[in-house]
Structures are given as C-alpha cells and as structure tokens.
Amino acid sequence: MDETSRAAVAAAVRWLNQHHGNGPQQQTMRILKVTEEAGEAARAWIGVTGQNPRKGVTHTPREVADELADVALSALVAIESLGFDPAQVLSACAAKVLDRLPR
C-alpha cells in the first residue's frame, strides 16, 4: 500500500468511527460495503459487455477498474476496522498467493 492509500483508509475509518462508532454492528456494515461495491463492479462489467439488451453498452473498462478499486479500498477499511493493519494483511495474503503459484 502506498502512503495515499494508507492515509485514505485511516481517514475513512476515523470518519466512520466518529459518526457510527466501531462496534460489531458497524464492523458488519463495513464488511457488507465490500459486497455492495463488488455489485457495482459487476454492474459496470455488464455495462461494458452490453449484456442487458435494453441498456446496451453503458460503461468503459476504466469505469470497471475504478469500481474494483472501490472494492479494494472498502476491503482495506473493513480490515482496519477489525483492528488489523491493512498493509500487513494485504502483504501476507499476497505472499500466500505467491507461495501457491508455480515459479
């Protein structure tokens, strides 16, 4: 994670905590936010492919990438809200994936 991402995650968690606290219900809502954002990414991809004949092509691949970034940032906010360092959790996950891939 770069410094901009780290700062954005920390600022979002502070802001959410100030408005809603950080109890189990709020942690749940932050985890569910990841799913909401994933749905937006899926909707954008459907829009790229023109899968809905009524709507046609409505999105660009860049818009899909932006929505996927929202998914990632929401996940990092949820991780920090659970009391973990998002950069460390992300790095450990990446290392696990590298270990599973053929060299």
Side-chain angles (χ1 to χ4, degrees):
M1 273 176 56
D2 66 5
E3 287 307 310
T4 301
S5 300
R6 188 182 299 273
V9 168
V13 170
R14 273 193 312 275
W15 182 74
L16 289 167
N17 288 349
Q18 288 171 352
H19 290 278
H20 302 294
N22 191 32
Q25 181 179 2
Q26 290 309 313
Q27 291 168 333
T28 300
M29 299 311 294
R30 293 172 198 181
I31 293 166
L32 291 175
K33 181 69 174 171
V34 177
T35 304
E36 177 191 11
E37 295 295 347
E40 291 178 13
R43 182 176 56 241
W45 185 246
I46 289 168
V48 166
T49 64
Q51 187 64 32
N52 183 334
R54 183 176 57 80
K55 294 181 180 178
V57 173
T58 59
H59 289 77
T60 66
R62 177 53 198 232
E63 289 171 314
V64 175
D66 290 343
E67 293 294 348
L68 290 169
D70 285 344
V71 174
L73 193 61
S74 295
L76 295 171
V77 167
I79 291 167
E80 184 159 315
S81 295
L82 292 171
F84 298 98
D85 179 339
Q88 289 178 351
V89 173
L90 183 60
S91 181
C93 180
K96 185 171 56 175
V97 168
L98 283 174
D99 285 343
R100 288 191 300 232
L101 293 174
R103 303 215 181 238

